[in-house]
């Protein structure tokens, strides 16, 4: 009897292993971001991250988008949250969309870069492929600081040899009809445009 059942046991073990491998290979994009990705001032389903998930659900690209963006977050906050997020979600890909609040609060550019480097290292050590979102701040922070801030993302991406996704508000921020009254956050009408833009940038990197 043991001999007769042995092949069945082996098949069951093999099936379990294949299922486990399939789960491990699931494409999961973790977005570690701030209010620009957290649908600030809007319903969650109206934000570009949710709309991106909807687009991908309708395409051959089957990927789960995990929105870990928190309004007001800085690279300090993202760094403190990332280890738990990696353990919980086991993402295959990570998009780091942080740094904007560092700049708006006048934080040290050097510290911001160190935080970005550490987050990238942590995500890569977990086995994830990492993308860095380029960020911009208003020019009224002074030419020197604004320039250092803008250069920081290029420098980090180049040193880490990872893709730098162009700032998704570069053109939208110039159109007041697409921005909320604060002039910083995109409104509901802008979200589908951002989702489409991010789709064109991320899909080729993930598929």
């Amino acid at each position: 009897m043991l001999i007769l059942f042995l092949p069945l046991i082996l098949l069951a073990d093999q099936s379990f292993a294949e299922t486990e491998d399939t789960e491990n290979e699931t494409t999961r994009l973790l977005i570690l971001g701030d209010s620009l990705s957290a649908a600030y001032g809007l319903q969650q389903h109206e934000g570009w991250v949710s709309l991106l998930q909807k687009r991908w659900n309708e395409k051959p690209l089957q990927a789960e988008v995990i929105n870990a963006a928190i309004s007001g977050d800085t690279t300090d906050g993202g760094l403190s949250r990332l280890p738990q997020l990696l353990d919980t979600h086991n993402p295959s890909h990570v998009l780091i969309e942080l740094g904007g609040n560092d700049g708006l609060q006048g934080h040290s550019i050097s510290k911001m870069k160190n935080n970005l480097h550490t987050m990238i290292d942590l995500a890569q050590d977990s086995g994830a492929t990492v993308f860095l979102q380029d960020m911009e701040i208003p020019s009224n922070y002074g030419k020197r600081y604004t320039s250092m801030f803008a250069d920081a993302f290029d420098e980090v991406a180049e040193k880490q040899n990872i893709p730098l996704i162009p700032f998704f508000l570069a053109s939208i921020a110039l159109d007041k009809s697409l921005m909320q009254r604060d002039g910083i956050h995109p409104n509901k009408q802008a979200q589908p445009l951002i989702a489409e833009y991010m789709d064109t940038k991320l899909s080729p990197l993930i598929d």
Side-chain angles (χ1 to χ4, degrees):
M1 293 297 290
L2 289 176
I3 295 177
L4 291 175
F5 281 123
L6 183 57
L8 296 177
I9 294 173
L10 291 175
L11 286 173
D13 289 343
Q14 182 179 0
S15 176
F16 175 78
E18 290 176 351
T19 301
E20 189 176 44
D21 289 341
T22 300
E23 290 178 351
N24 290 336
E25 293 173 1
T26 299
T27 301
R28 298 187 184 90
L29 171 64
L30 174 71
I31 298 180
L32 183 66
D34 53 29
S35 57
L36 297 183
S37 298
Y40 176 86
L42 307 170
Q43 297 294 317
Q44 281 298 311
H45 69 273
E46 297 173 335
W48 74 264
V49 177
S50 294
L51 296 178
L52 177 65
Q53 177 71 85
K54 184 177 180 181
R55 290 176 69 93
W56 284 357
N57 288 344
E58 297 170 352
K59 295 172 63 174
L61 174 61
Q62 295 298 312
E64 177 185 0
V65 183
I66 303 161
N67 193 353
I70 295 179
S71 294
D73 206 8
T74 62
T75 58
D76 284 332
L79 179 56
S80 67
R81 294 193 294 123
L82 184 57
Q84 183 60 51
L85 289 169
L86 293 173
D87 288 342
T88 300
H89 300 289
N90 188 29
S92 57
H93 300 75
V94 174
L95 170 65
I96 299 176
E97 182 271 299
L98 287 171
N101 287 312
D102 295 63
L104 294 177
Q105 296 171 23
H107 289 188
S108 164
I109 299 299
S110 177
K111 184 179 182 183
M112 181 185 76
K113 289 170 61 176
N114 288 338
N115 287 343
L116 291 173
H117 278 299
T118 304
M119 284 188 281
I120 293 168
D121 291 340
L122 287 171
Q124 289 180 333
D125 288 345
S126 76
T129 299
V130 186
F131 315 126
L132 180 62
Q133 178 71 61
D134 196 13
M135 303 296 291
E136 296 179 10
I137 56 174
S139 58
N140 59 354
Y141 280 77
K143 184 177 180 180
R144 181 174 180 274
Y145 185 83
T146 303
S147 178
M148 289 174 60
F149 179 87
D151 291 344
F153 296 88
D154 293 290
E155 293 167 2
V156 171
E158 182 177 359
K159 187 171 183 179
Q160 292 280 356
N161 193 28
I162 63 172
L164 179 67
I165 309 299
F167 187 47
F168 54 67
L169 291 186
S171 60
I172 289 176
L174 300 177
D175 187 343
K176 291 183 179 180
S177 68
L178 296 176
M179 299 296 289
Q180 297 183 37
R181 290 185 178 182
D182 60 11
I184 295 176
H185 299 95
N187 60 23
K188 181 179 177 180
Q189 288 69 37
Q191 301 300 318
L193 302 177
I194 299 173
E196 180 180 6
Y197 178 80
M198 294 301 285
D199 184 16
T200 62
K201 297 299 180 182
L202 292 173
S203 292
L205 297 173
I206 291 178
D207 191 4

